[in-house]
Amino acid sequence: MTVRVQTLKGADAGAYYVEHLPSYYLDAGEPPGRWHGKGAERLDLAGEVDDEAFLALMAGLHPATGNHLGRRYGDHTARGFDMTASAPKSVSVLFALGDGPTRQAVLESHDAAAVALVDWVEAHAHTRYRQQGEIGVFDAEGIVAATFRQHTSRTLDPQLHPHVVIANRVRSTDGRWLALDARLIKHDQRTLSALYHAALRSELRRRLGVEWNEPTNAIAEIATVHPDVLAEFSTRTGQVEARFEEKLERFEAAFGRQPTQRERWRLEREAVTDSRPAKVHGFDAEALHEQWADQARAIGYEPERVVAAAVSTELESHPIDHISRTEVAAAALAALAEGQSTWRAAEVVRELAAAVPPGLTAEPGRLLAWLDEVAADVIDTHMVELSPPVPEGVELRSDGRPVSESVLHRALSTPAIVAQEEALVVWADKRIEVGGVDAAAAGRRSTMELSGPQRQVAAAVAGTRELVLVVGPAGTGKTTALAPAVAQLRAEGRAVFGVAPSATAAEVLSTETGVGADTIDKLLIEHRLARRPQSEFDLTTGATVVVDEAAMVPTAKLAELALADLADRRGWRGWWEIPSSSPPWGARACSRTWSTASAPSSSTG
């Protein structure tokens, strides 16, 4: 993810952008900020950003009259949001080593992608206010944004990245200036990243004939730029990665588990801040480009050849109308089902953007509008709504959703996944109804003092129940309760094996409980093959299979484990650990899942 959104708070929230950004390095050719958005037009803000107007806006004041735009800001009120988008390193290298026309084409492509992203955010912008006693989410009539393009990292590596400052003031349809509902841009930074990179790839392909590697996580590098060159100009990346690894190790040591996705994002953000060096000043633009050229030569790469290999004079056009919507939609649906069971509309857009062929030549604005069109079609034709039905007569937003619904609360899935969920619940019901005997002696094998619920969990896991579902938030000691259960099972000569969504999670599970463990993918693959599974996966009848972090496992994989004759045919029993904040099944099955999970009191914790 290379688009990050930071909340700007405090009275000096706008000062950085007028006092520090212009002097990132002296005479460096950094352009002044530019105004964007329909909200800016309403305030007569256009063209270059004026410092005083920008500071007034960030203070919540009308830039011309000085009157307050809506409520006065407090000391801790969000004044705006900095949406920073970093270009792939190879694009920055092309800018760093290219001649004048090449540099200009790269910068214009980068700006076009950034503006298209701003326009997409504006098209989906909302505000919130109370109507008839209830808080609703309403369309906004435009945002006020200022873009500040930067060319280097703090260590003076080439690194194109715009700061897009979105003011926390939007005009509502009733004429008032209100706060932006920022949940979309804060929660869907992966979508923003995918959109920006798809737009940038398309524009650079259109202008310079650049060829791209296949995207990974929606991001791709220019195919002809050698990894050695990328590494040479990635000093800052190395600093952040080293600090992030330190933070990961400390987190796992302190909490005994892997961080959640949201916690990882927080750790990454902290790593960026902690490893941030002081800014370097005093370099002009041409001196930097000469320095970058010398760096490339020093590792054996002539700048002119690097650029010539990346830029094609024989451009083959691939306009958007020639792209198969069916193929892009199929790839997006497969990616969603691989990683999630339910999703929101913005996540559909994210996977569509990631699935766009890297050879596309389309203007960024047209591409992002096309992605919204395809997303709407995919939702209508391939998905089912898991959100409550829209009541008749209620006010709707321009996206067709009721004003009573948050942008984060719409849930979508596919008929196939819903059918799998329903089958999983039936399967779980049958197994839980069988009952079984708990092994009370398991709790006595713990090297730590267990709480009452932890003893119940240990006894249930080490007992004879065919399915044990343990529901609870992170930090409540589920893994601590599992360790003595594993010891009890082994003491009785019963096989036990653990699976987890990732190799790291499997390693943590094994280390903390003593159980042999691997990824769920590895277990499933071993049993798909025609040959006999490897010994550690060839579990005997009655073996206990521990599914750690089951909420992170896609429904299709849980269904394959439980329903594709694997668990039943092999005669396995199961322990599924489910964080209470993250159900593994969609909304239609969740209520039944929780009731079955809590039915035998000794099987929950």
Side-chain angles (χ1 to χ4, degrees), residues 258-336:
Q258 284 187 296
T260 65
Q261 188 65 53
R262 186 163 299 282
E263 288 168 338
R264 285 182 66 90
W265 290 344
R266 190 175 298 116
L267 292 175
E268 288 175 357
R269 189 180 298 277
E270 291 175 1
V272 171
T273 302
D274 293 352
S275 63
R276 180 175 291 166
K279 288 183 177 178
V280 182
H281 301 282
F283 288 83
D284 64 40
E286 288 307 315
L288 271 177
H289 283 283
E290 291 175 8
Q291 174 183 311
W292 291 331
D294 289 341
Q295 283 182 250
R297 294 189 187 100
I299 61 171
Y301 292 88
E302 192 63 35
E304 291 79 5
R305 292 185 179 180
V306 173
V307 174
V311 175
S312 173
T313 57
E314 299 179 359
L315 174 64
E316 183 179 355
S317 178
H318 293 280
I320 201 165
D321 293 338
H322 293 180
I323 301 300
S324 169
R325 288 194 177 201
T326 301
E327 292 180 4
V328 173
L333 285 168
L336 286 166

Side-chain angles (χ1 to χ4, degrees), residues 490-510:
R490 285 182 169 167
E492 296 176 4
R494 298 163 62 189
V496 57
F497 189 75
V499 293
S502 67
T504 303
E507 183 179 357
V508 171
L509 176 65
S510 179

Side-chain angles (χ1 to χ4, degrees), residues 49-233:
V49 171
D50 174 78
D51 290 355
E52 294 303 319
F54 179 77
L55 291 174
L57 180 66
M58 295 301 288
L61 305 176
H62 192 294
T65 66
N67 295 330
H68 284 277
L69 293 172
R71 293 183 178 179
R72 295 172 182 265
Y73 284 143
D75 292 339
H76 303 289
T77 305
R79 308 295 182 93
F81 306 91
D82 183 337
M83 183 172 67
T84 305
S86 292
K89 180 57 67 176
S90 56
V91 174
S92 295
V93 166
L94 187 59
F95 159 75
L97 303 182
D99 57 15
T102 301
R103 290 186 210 168
Q104 190 62 29
V106 173
L107 292 176
E108 290 176 356
S109 298
H110 179 265
D111 289 349
V115 170
L117 184 61
V118 173
D119 291 343
W120 188 89
V121 170
E122 181 169 66
H124 296 80
H126 301 115
T127 186
R128 288 181 284 178
Y129 57 85
R130 189 175 298 277
Q131 185 179 80
Q132 297 179 347
E134 299 290 337
I135 296 294
V137 179
F138 301 88
D139 290 321
E141 290 190 345
I143 63 174
V144 186
T147 60
F148 302 89
R149 187 220 297 152
Q150 299 292 286
H151 299 162
T152 74
S153 70
R154 285 176 173 255
T155 55
L156 294 183
D157 287 329
Q159 187 60 62
L160 294 176
H161 63 283
H163 292 271
V164 180
V165 180
I166 302 172
N168 192 25
R169 281 292 178 263
V170 293
R171 187 178 169 90
S172 66
T173 53
D174 62 4
R176 293 180 293 166
W177 287 93
L178 302 172
L180 172 70
D181 182 354
R183 288 176 289 186
L184 177 70
I185 60 174
K186 294 289 286 186
H187 284 265
D188 285 299
Q189 294 177 48
R190 290 176 62 198
T191 297
L192 300 178
S193 182
L195 290 170
Y196 164 73
H197 283 280
L200 181 60
R201 285 195 295 271
S202 180
E203 185 68 358
L204 275 171
R205 175 72 178 173
R206 190 175 71 89
R207 287 174 178 261
L208 294 176
V210 168
E211 291 189 10
W212 300 94
N213 292 323
E214 284 298 319
T216 301
N217 295 325
I219 301 172
E221 297 287 359
I222 297 174
T224 58
V225 179
H226 196 277
D228 289 347
V229 179
L230 303 183
E232 174 64 23
F233 294 107

Side-chain angles (χ1 to χ4, degrees), residues 384-548:
V384 294
E385 291 279 356
L386 302 180
S387 307
V390 179
E392 291 189 12
V394 301
E395 184 176 353
L396 302 179
R397 298 190 297 266
S398 59
D399 60 5
R401 306 306 300 171
V403 297
S404 58
E405 181 184 87
S406 160
V407 293
L408 302 183
H409 290 164
R410 186 184 185 188
L412 301 161
S413 191
T414 64
I417 288 177
V418 171
Q420 288 174 335
E421 292 168 352
E422 292 172 344
L424 276 169
V425 173
V426 172
W427 173 86
D429 280 340
K430 289 180 179 179
R431 284 202 162 214
I432 289 175
E433 287 171 1
V434 172
V437 178
D438 294 341
R444 295 193 290 272
R445 293 185 177 274
S446 177
T447 58
M448 303 173 60
E449 185 173 350
L450 301 180
S451 66
Q454 287 175 321
R455 287 194 299 272
Q456 291 178 342
V457 168
V461 174
T464 61
R465 299 180 187 275
E466 291 192 5
L467 179 64
V468 179
L469 303 181
V470 180
V471 184
T476 52
K478 297 184 296 297
T479 304
T480 300
L482 181 59
V486 171
Q488 180 68 29
L489 288 167
R490 285 182 169 167
E492 296 176 4
R494 298 163 62 189
V496 57
F497 189 75
V499 293
S502 67
T504 303
E507 183 179 357
V508 171
L509 176 65
S510 179
T511 301
E512 297 194 352
T513 67
V515 69
D518 211 313
T519 65
I520 190 169
D521 290 313
K522 182 64 174 175
L523 176 67
L524 295 176
I525 288 171
E526 282 292 322
H527 285 273
R528 289 176 195 153
L529 300 176
R531 62 169 173 77
R532 187 182 182 90
Q534 296 182 28
S535 58
E536 62 266 38
F537 303 101
D538 192 15
L539 305 176
T540 59
T541 299
T544 298
V545 178
V546 175
V547 183
D548 194 29

